[in-house]
Amino acid sequence: PSRIPILYSILSVLVLISVVPMYFYSEQVESINRERLITNERLLQNTVTRSLSDDISQHQDSLGMMLANLSSAIQVASGGDITDAHVETPELRALLENFVSSSGDLAYATLLNTDAKGISAGRISPDAFLQRELERGFAAAQENRSYTGQALVIGSGKTEKTVILVSTPVTVDGHFLGMVGAVEDLQFLIRRLQEINRGGLTPYVVDAQGRLVAGGSEDYATGQDMTNLEIVRNFVDQGSKTQFVAATHEFSARINGANTQMLGTYSPVSSLDWAVVVQKPRAEAYRGVFEMHHTARLLAFLAVLLSIVISIVA
C-alpha cells in the first residue's frame, strides 16, 4: 500500500486527542444543563401562574367576605325590611357609600329589593352590558346563589375599565330580601400581568369558555376568544378536572403570520372558573440550551482549525 502522508497522520492524531474528548465532555455537560434549564423554565412558569392564581383567589375571597358583611349590616340596619321606600333610607345609602370607598378596586355597588329596585353608589354608571349582568346577578340571588359575572369593558379612552360583577343575596332566616352587588375594577390584575409581561413572559387570564378576562399586553382584547391557542383549549376541554392542577405544554401558535413553537403553562383559579396562562416562544425559553449547542460546535470547529494549522507547520 502507498504511504500515508505524515501531514494526515499528525492531523488525525491532533483531531483525535482534541475534538473527541471535548465532544464527549460537551455532550455530557449539555445533557446535564439541558435538563436543568428546561426544568427551571417550566418551574418559573409554574411558579408565576400559581402565585398569580392564588392572589386572584385571595382577592375574590376577600371581596366575597366584604359582600357578606355588607349583607349582614344591611339586615341589621334595615330591620329586615328593604321594600319600597325603606330601601332608600340614609342609613342604607351610607352603608353602600362606605363600602365602595373602602377599597380602590370597587367601582360601583348596588342594593336591590325583591322588586329589583334600590340604591347605588360609585364612580361609574352601568351601561347596557353591565345592566344585563346585574339582571343575571339578581336572578342568581333569587335562587339564593352568589354570582360572579364575565369580564366587561366599560367607558372608552382614559376612562376605560375592565370590570366584573360580584353579587350575593340578602336574606333573613332563609327569606329572600334582595341582592347586593359590587362591580370590581380589574386594574389590580392588569398591573400584575403587565409586570409579568415586562419580565419576558406573555401572561393573560381566561374564563371557563376560553374568553379573555385580562391580558398583560395590547395584543389581546377583553372578551376575545382565545381557544385558537392549544393551551387554552386544553384548559377549556379539561373543565372541572383542572381545579388546583397546573399544566405545562409545548404547542404551536401563529405569531406575526408565522407558526412559532411555544412553551406555556396554565394554572386554574380555585375560587373562579378562570385560569392564569403564561407563554413564551420555545426558542427564548430554551435559549440557554441552544447557546450551549452553538458554543460546543464553535469550540469543535476552532479545535479542528487549530489542529490543521499545527499539522501543516509540523
Side-chain angles (χ1 to χ4, degrees):
S2 60
R3 295 180 179 179
I4 299 175
I6 192 170
L7 172 62
Y8 298 159
S9 301
I10 295 173
L11 179 58
S12 299
V13 171
L14 289 176
V15 169
L16 190 65
I17 65 176
S18 62
V19 176
V20 173
M22 183 182 67
Y23 171 78
F24 284 107
Y25 175 74
S26 64
E27 280 294 312
Q28 186 68 20
V29 172
E30 273 188 43
S31 177
I32 295 171
N33 286 282
R34 183 190 303 116
E35 295 303 320
R36 188 172 297 166
L37 284 169
I38 291 173
T39 300
N40 287 345
E41 180 62 35
R42 289 172 177 249
L43 182 61
L44 170 64
Q45 291 195 5
N46 195 293
T47 301
V48 169
T49 55
R50 175 57 67 187
S51 173
L52 185 52
S53 171
D54 290 343
D55 285 350
I56 295 172
S57 290
Q58 291 173 9
H59 200 276
Q60 293 306 115
D61 290 343
S62 176
L63 177 57
M65 189 176 298
M66 290 170 62
L67 276 174
N69 291 338
L70 176 62
S71 176
S72 299
I74 289 170
Q75 294 173 28
V76 173
S78 66
D81 184 5
I82 57 174
T83 57
D84 300 328
H86 294 95
V87 75
E88 299 181 3
T89 60
E91 292 82 7
L92 295 182
R93 189 173 294 278
L95 278 176
L96 211 59
E97 291 174 350
N98 289 337
F99 173 76
V100 173
S101 62
S102 67
S103 172
D105 295 329
L106 295 176
Y108 177 86
T110 184
L111 169 64
L112 302 177
N113 59 23
T114 53
D115 298 321
K117 298 179 180 178
I119 56 175
S120 61
R123 54 184 185 275
I124 64 170
S125 297
D127 58 12
F129 297 102
L130 185 52
Q131 192 62 46
R132 193 174 301 122
E133 284 295 291
L134 287 167
E135 291 171 3
R136 291 175 181 146
F138 185 77
Q142 288 177 312
E143 298 173 1
N144 200 30
R145 292 187 294 110
S146 296
Y147 176 79
T148 299
Q150 67 182 56
L152 299 172
V153 176
I154 60 173
S156 60
K158 294 183 178 180
T159 63
E160 183 178 286
K161 298 180 185 298
T162 302
V163 301
I164 60 169
L165 171 71
V166 180
S167 66
T168 192
V170 180
T171 60
V172 172
D173 298 327
H175 178 65
F176 176 68
L177 294 182
M179 177 203 81
V180 61
V183 175
E184 182 182 21
D185 187 346
L186 293 182
Q187 189 58 38
F188 79 95
L189 175 57
I190 294 173
R191 284 195 299 267
R192 284 291 309 277
L193 293 172
Q194 289 172 341
E195 291 172 4
I196 295 170
N197 188 60
R198 287 192 289 269
L201 292 168
T202 300
Y204 48 92
V205 178
V206 296
D207 63 16
Q209 286 73 47
R211 295 186 300 255
L212 186 77
V213 174
S217 69
E218 297 180 354
D219 297 335
Y220 306 121
T222 298
Q224 178 178 338
D225 184 5
M226 302 293 286
T227 53
N228 62 309
L229 295 174
E230 184 181 336
I231 191 166
V232 177
R233 284 201 305 274
N234 288 336
F235 164 70
V236 173
D237 292 342
Q238 289 296 312
S240 60
K241 298 177 184 177
T242 61
Q243 192 174 22
F244 307 118
V245 179
T248 301
H249 298 279
E250 291 186 7
F251 61 98
S252 178
R254 195 158 187 82
I255 298 178
N256 298 326
N259 285 330
T260 304
Q261 293 300 313
M262 307 289 288
L263 176 72
T265 301
Y266 69 77
S267 185
V269 180
S270 59
S271 61
L272 298 164
D273 293 329
W274 293 359
V276 178
V277 186
V278 298
Q279 62 188 42
K280 177 189 284 189
R282 186 175 178 272
E284 292 183 18
Y286 298 156
R287 185 186 299 276
V289 176
F290 299 136
E291 287 177 351
M292 281 193 299
H293 278 293
H294 177 72
T295 302
R297 293 191 189 99
L298 179 61
L299 290 175
F301 174 75
L302 292 175
V304 172
L305 188 63
L306 182 61
S307 298
I308 292 173
V309 172
I310 294 175
S311 299
I312 293 173
V313 172

